[in-house]
Amino acid sequence: MHPPIALPETFARAVAGLRSAVPRSEIVLEEVGAPQRLAPYAFALSATVLRGGDDVASGRLILLHDPAGHEAWQGTLRLVSYVTAEMEVDLAADPLLPGVGWTWLTDALDAQHAAHRAIGGTITQTMSTRFGDLAGPPATGDIEIRASWTPVDDDLGPHLLGWCALLASTAGLPPPGVTALPERRPAGAA
């Protein structure tokens, strides 16, 4: 039996910050296995966003730590994010969607005072139409947001809450405290 390995203090504090943040009730977080070859230390969370009992968005947030630092990261910690959500076809086809998606991320981090540097990423919008044995809805659209950034300090609670706000935006959830109005049915509809 091997003795427990002591984690670097910076990494331990960062993980504790991620574990202590409490997201809104529609977002379910779960610790999952982290990739082991990207950095000497790694931790990962997966998220599912529920709306009316349906999964409407999902994501993964990975914390990387290299005590020696990494030039491209401009630090010793790095957060890597992946978020995907199905969208209405007209929204998914909007040429402004990538810019809006990027703003969802940066505004969410700023709103939580999650100070960061060296941020970068990609936004992908896709449209799918099913045929034959896979026939289904006429068309579907998706948004995929991949990003990474370096937190300025090791208090990562605000970063997790910002990331959860990004998930909520991609899922089309109303802001906290705001109730969505029910869809209006045409007169005579059951």
Side-chain angles (χ1 to χ4, degrees), residues 2 15 17 27 30 52-53 61 67 75 79 82 89 129 139 144 146 152:
H2 299 287
V15 169
I27 300 175
E30 179 183 358
L61 184 67
L79 287 166
Y82 170 77
V89 173
T129 304
E144 182 180 280
R146 294 177 184 261
V152 172

Side-chain angles (χ1 to χ4, degrees), residues 3-51:
I5 298 172
L7 297 175
E9 190 175 324
T10 297
F11 181 70
R13 274 195 310 269
V15 169
L18 291 174
R19 286 179 170 153
S20 68
V22 178
R24 57 192 287 175
S25 62
E26 300 95 337
I27 300 175
V28 179
L29 297 176
E30 179 183 358
E31 290 183 24
V32 294
Q36 297 302 308
R37 292 186 278 196
L38 299 176
Y41 302 93
F43 175 81
L45 293 168
S46 71
T48 302
V49 182
L50 302 171
R51 185 176 58 218

Side-chain angles (χ1 to χ4, degrees), residues 96-186:
L96 299 177
L97 180 61
V100 170
W102 189 253
T103 300
W104 286 339
L105 170 63
T106 57
D107 285 356
L109 292 173
D110 291 346
Q112 294 298 324
H113 306 287
H116 59 278
R117 63 177 162 255
I119 190 169
T122 62
I123 310 287
T124 304
Q125 56 193 127
T126 59
M127 301 290 293
S128 301
T129 304
R130 299 175 182 186
F131 297 94
D133 289 346
L134 296 177
T140 59
D142 295 288
I143 184 171
E144 182 180 280
I145 302 171
R146 294 177 184 261
S148 63
W149 63 93
T150 299
V152 172
D153 59 36
D154 58 14
D155 177 11
L156 298 190
H159 293 268
L160 179 69
L161 294 175
W163 183 67
C164 287
L166 167 65
L167 282 160
S169 293
T170 61
L173 296 180
V178 174
T179 303
L181 295 174
E183 288 187 35
R184 191 172 146 198
R185 295 183 178 168

